């Protein structure tokens, strides 16, 4: 077990650090407390980013760089391979769940499921406990203590993950400094109960549009009803049968759904437009262009920000389409030797096989860079964003154990 | 030709009146100018109602009563029959079309259709010119000048016709003072190009509702998509074939249309509700309960203000329904002797046969009271609510000629 003194004396309002007389468990808990106590709702990550930067800069084996509120720290041991460990430092907004605190066993705020899985343990309660300050604390601990890993390591602590994609700090650093983010494998610390969730479905959202001619509804025959025309859009959605597709051994369940519908100008006016907002979630066997072709034809030429075009094929052939959002899928990369060795270790420690990630996550950003990536983090994904987000203390050490073993020379 | 001095000295901000030295054409034009210049968008009818009340109170042969901003003036000559002449004094909102003004022949603001029908005439331009301040001006002129009519007369100038039915001034006065509104026949001055438009379709509006179960759209199978379920509502609307139904010799064209649709809570959420707002326009061969039964079954028990119920039959059987508005149809009453004599006169002056009124109008309120009613007013119905509402001057005198002849003892 490694142990190191941390002499951070940063001027940031918040300070991160643990002392040489703390046990490994104590050090992890101390870091978690400090990260949790530094409020970092999206758009307010500055103080936590300052503290993270100061903490990492105090480690002599790390090269630390910063872009906005994203901090990147790299080792340079000259190893053959490099692994990226990434965690977002922002949280969703606070609702009576800040400041955080430790709950003693038996505290009524401890959820029954958490208490049942971790009897007799104290529990960290508060905003960000699972999504994802526990994983951040583990990454910080590893950044300070892993001074002889078998791979070179790049730690990324980034801002604005919980908001619109254009604000995402990982996206920005990849675009501005692609040379900072290189590697052969990446782990994102999104909560997975320390299991592996690999790859992710792609997602796109677009409006399917019908047009009509307005008229007073007392003289409906002088108009053309755009809402009535939308029947065919909904019929095609109902006729679509979502598939489950296996990629690299993991099962991805697709989906095609209208999530919003709006049409009409007034209670007595024949509507001249109707928009059905459709969300298509597609498995990583498809590229973004392939997925678009299935919806609107391969040569429709309909692009984000390009306004309305007509679908030349696919599910919505013949209808107007306006793209609203698109994000590629990411293959799980479970066929790489590094992924396989991590999966074996996780299976041995937790009994869990890798699962497909269905929601879109930042693993896809690594996929775009050609870096296989998985989610692996402390805490239950079902508690993310919940009012009563919480984490049993041993979940921290389980994650630290797995990563320490996998990354240390001695463990392989 | 009658002529009378008008000595209105009301304290209202606006005054109505014409002088003894004005010709009949001049007096009509003066009244129209005054009514047009008094802004009276719905909810702001007070000043015009004050001016109308003052003008009518100055006529010694009239008994004037007021309820809210509705003014009712009656003759009491002891005639066998009574005719009601009714006009709403409010307008739809102003859009750069106030204050009004006279346009000289050749003015580019004069519409081509108006110029073609009335070459060489000046044209009143502005909000309310056709809907329906021209008819109001004619009614005011008749109220002052018809001192020896063959029928007793009741003039009704009412507020809030252009907005929700519960605000309608005619409705309110009928409910509060049914004895003020009695008679054997009624004419409402809605613009008809001085033709007769008889009766009206009934109308009802209701939401047809689907319910689902919300879920994140990345895990759509955990939810139930309410928008997809609305396909069947739109399919039934598309399958419905509207009929044309002849009542008392006039043809009523029905219609069943979705005018609004809304559903969904977010771009990434499986929607748990979708509402299709439906407008049913039904011919006067059906009562309101009969029409409702065709939509939602005879025993559904779904009432205005009663929230959502389930359709037990009819077009939307099985779906949730919430009533939003309902107004009965009105038979045209063209079989009454008074209607027949008016129709003959209009045919002689304009060459036009009576037509069915398709939109819902306040004639239905008279139908409820058992008073046959028709629409007959100056100006084109196609210009109502238009930005460039306008009226050629001779349209005023044509309407005044027809009504004066029909109502005067000398003309029959």
């Amino acid at each position: 077990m490694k142990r190191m003194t941390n002499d951070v004396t940063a001027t940031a309002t918040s300070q991160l650090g643990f002392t040489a007389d703390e046990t490994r468990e104590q050090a992890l808990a101390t870091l978690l407390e400090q990260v949790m106590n530094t409020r970092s709702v999206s758009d307010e990550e500055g103080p936590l980013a300052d503290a993270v930067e100061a903490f990492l800069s105090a480690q002599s084996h790390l090269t630390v760089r910063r872009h906005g509120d994203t901090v990147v720290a790299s080792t340079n041991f000259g190893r053959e391979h490099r692994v990226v460990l990434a965690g977002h430092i922002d949280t969703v907004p606070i609702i009576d769940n800040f400041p955080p605190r430790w709950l003693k066993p038996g505290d009524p705020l401890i959820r029954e499921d958490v208490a049942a899985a971790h009897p007799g343990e104290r529990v960290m309660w508060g905003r960000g406990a699972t999504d994802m300050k526990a994983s951040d604390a583990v990454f910080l601990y590893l950044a300070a203590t892993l001074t002889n890993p078998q791979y070179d390591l790049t730690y990324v602590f980034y801002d604005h993950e919980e908001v619109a994609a254009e604000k995402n700090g990982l996206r920005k650093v990849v675009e501005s400094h692609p040379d900072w983010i290189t590697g052969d494998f990446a782990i994102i610390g999104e909560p997975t109960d320390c299991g592996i969730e690999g790859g992710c479905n792609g997602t796109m959202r677009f409006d399917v549009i019908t047009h009509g001619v307005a008229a007073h509804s007392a003289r409906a025959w002088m108009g053309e009803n755009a809402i009535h025309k939308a029947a065919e859009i909904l019929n095609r959605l109902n006729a679509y049968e979502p598939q489950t597709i296996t990629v690299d051994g993991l099962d991805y369940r697709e989906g095609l759904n209208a999530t919003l519908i709006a049409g009409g100008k007034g209670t007595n006016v024949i509507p001249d437009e109707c928009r059905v907002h459709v969300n298509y979630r597609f498995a990583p066997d498809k590229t973004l262009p392939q997925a678009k072709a299935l919806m609107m034809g391969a040569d429709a030429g309909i692009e984000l920000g390009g306004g309305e075009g007509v679908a030349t094929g696919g599910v919505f052939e013949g209808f107007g389409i306006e793209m609203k959002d698109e994000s590629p899928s990411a293959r799980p990369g479970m066929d790489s030797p590094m992924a396989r060795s991590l999966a074996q270790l996780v299976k041995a420690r937790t009994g869990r096989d890798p699962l497909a990630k269905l929601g879109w996550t930042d693993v896809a950003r690594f996929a775009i860079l050609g870096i296989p990536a998985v989610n692996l983090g402390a805490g239950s994904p079902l508690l993310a964003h919940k009012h009563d987000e919480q984490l049993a203390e041993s979940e921290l050490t389980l994650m630290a154990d797995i990563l320490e073993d996998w990354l240390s020379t001695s463990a392989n």
Side-chain angles (χ1 to χ4, degrees), chain A:
Chain A
M1 190 177 290
K2 300 173 194 73
R3 176 78 35 249
M4 75 172 290
T5 305
N6 192 285
D7 301 321
V8 170
T9 54
T11 55
T13 44
S14 301
Q15 293 196 0
L16 304 179
F18 52 94
T19 57
D21 60 339
E22 289 183 90
T23 65
R24 181 166 168 277
E25 286 68 25
Q26 285 171 339
L28 284 163
T30 297
L31 284 168
L32 177 59
E33 280 171 31
Q34 293 165 343
V35 172
M36 293 280 296
N37 270 306
T38 309
R39 181 189 168 109
S40 61
V41 174
S42 305
D43 282 340
E44 299 168 18
E45 297 95 333
L48 183 53
D50 292 344
V52 166
E53 183 184 13
F55 175 82
L56 296 172
S57 296
Q59 319 302 332
S60 58
H61 62 286
L62 297 177
T63 301
V64 179
R65 290 174 278 205
R66 178 163 174 168
H67 180 78
D69 285 332
T70 292
V71 181
V72 181
S74 308
T75 65
N76 296 283
F77 297 121
R79 304 287 192 264
E80 191 184 352
H81 297 294
R82 177 176 291 278
V83 168
V84 182
L85 301 171
H88 67 80
I89 60 174
D90 62 324
T91 69
V92 294
I94 285 161
I95 10 168
D96 291 338
N97 48 15
F98 185 90
R101 62 179 187 275
W102 286 108
L103 306 177
K104 288 181 188 160
D107 190 301
L109 282 178
I110 298 179
R111 293 169 56 101
E112 280 183 26
D113 49 358
V114 172
H118 306 277
E121 274 185 48
R122 64 172 181 166
V123 168
M124 174 58 84
W125 176 95
R127 176 53 80 218
T130 52
D131 189 11
M132 54 181 277
K133 292 191 166 184
S135 293
D136 289 333
V138 172
F139 290 154
L140 288 166
Y141 178 79
L142 296 176
T145 57
L146 279 181
T147 52
N148 187 28
Q150 66 163 327
Y151 310 120
D152 265 313
L153 298 171
T154 297
Y155 302 91
V156 184
F157 296 90
Y158 63 102
D159 57 302
H160 285 105
E161 191 273 344
E162 298 288 8
V163 289
E166 68 263 25
K167 290 187 149 188
N168 186 292
L170 179 59
R171 172 193 173 129
K172 287 185 174 175
V173 78
V174 161
E175 286 173 2
S176 303
H177 305 285
D179 55 309
W180 294 7
I181 313 288
T182 60
D184 304 285
F185 192 72
I187 294 173
I188 296 184
E190 292 283 352
T192 63
D193 278 330
C194 290
I196 289 178
E197 297 194 357
C200 70
N201 272 337
T203 178
M204 63 175 69
R205 293 185 292 105
F206 50 88
D207 284 349
V208 186
I209 308 162
T210 58
H211 297 282
V213 176
H216 195 291
S217 63
R219 295 179 182 77
W221 57 91
M222 296 181 72
E224 219 178 272
N225 194 313
I227 293 176
H228 292 195
K229 290 184 187 177
E232 175 62 14
I233 297 171
L234 301 186
N235 288 337
R236 293 190 195 175
L237 284 165
N238 279 320
Y240 175 88
E241 291 185 9
Q243 289 186 285
T244 296
I245 294 172
T246 304
V247 181
D248 296 350
L250 304 188
D251 292 335
Y252 292 86
R253 206 159 162 176
E254 298 193 322
L256 180 64
N257 277 276
T259 55
L260 298 169
I261 190 167
K265 283 186 165 168
T267 56
N268 286 337
V269 182
I270 299 302
D272 63 355
E273 186 179 278
C274 184
R275 284 178 179 253
V276 184
H277 188 75
V278 172
N279 183 209
Y280 178 38
R281 305 266 173 173
F282 54 96
D285 65 323
K286 298 172 190 69
T287 65
L288 189 54
Q290 288 168 338
K292 277 178 83 167
L294 291 172
M295 294 294 112
M296 57 197 76
D299 55 352
I302 300 166
E303 303 297 339
L304 263 181
E308 184 182 341
V310 174
T312 57
V315 173
F316 299 105
E317 182 173 358
F319 287 102
I321 305 275
E322 186 174 341
M323 287 304 298
K324 293 294 186 180
D325 189 43
E326 53 185 41
S327 301
S329 60
R331 297 185 72 94
M334 294 312 296
D335 49 352
S336 77
M338 294 170 86
R340 279 206 299 269
S341 71
L342 180 61
Q344 282 166 5
L345 181 61
V346 167
K347 173 82 173 173
R349 292 296 175 86
T350 68
R352 300 178 57 194
D353 288 310
L355 292 174
K357 188 76 180 172
L358 298 167
W360 196 89
T361 75
D362 278 328
V363 298
R365 301 195 194 282
F366 290 103
I368 297 168
L369 298 174
I371 305 174
V374 297
N375 292 287
L376 186 162
S380 166
L382 301 178
L383 297 186
H385 302 197
K386 287 266 171 74
H387 170 265
D388 57 347
E389 247 185 288
Q390 53 191 262
L391 180 103
E393 190 169 10
S394 68
E395 300 185 73
L396 274 180
T397 44
L398 174 61
M399 177 176 171
D401 285 348
I402 291 170
L403 292 181
E404 210 167 53
D405 283 1
W406 184 62
L407 294 169
S408 299
T409 306
S410 58
N412 287 269

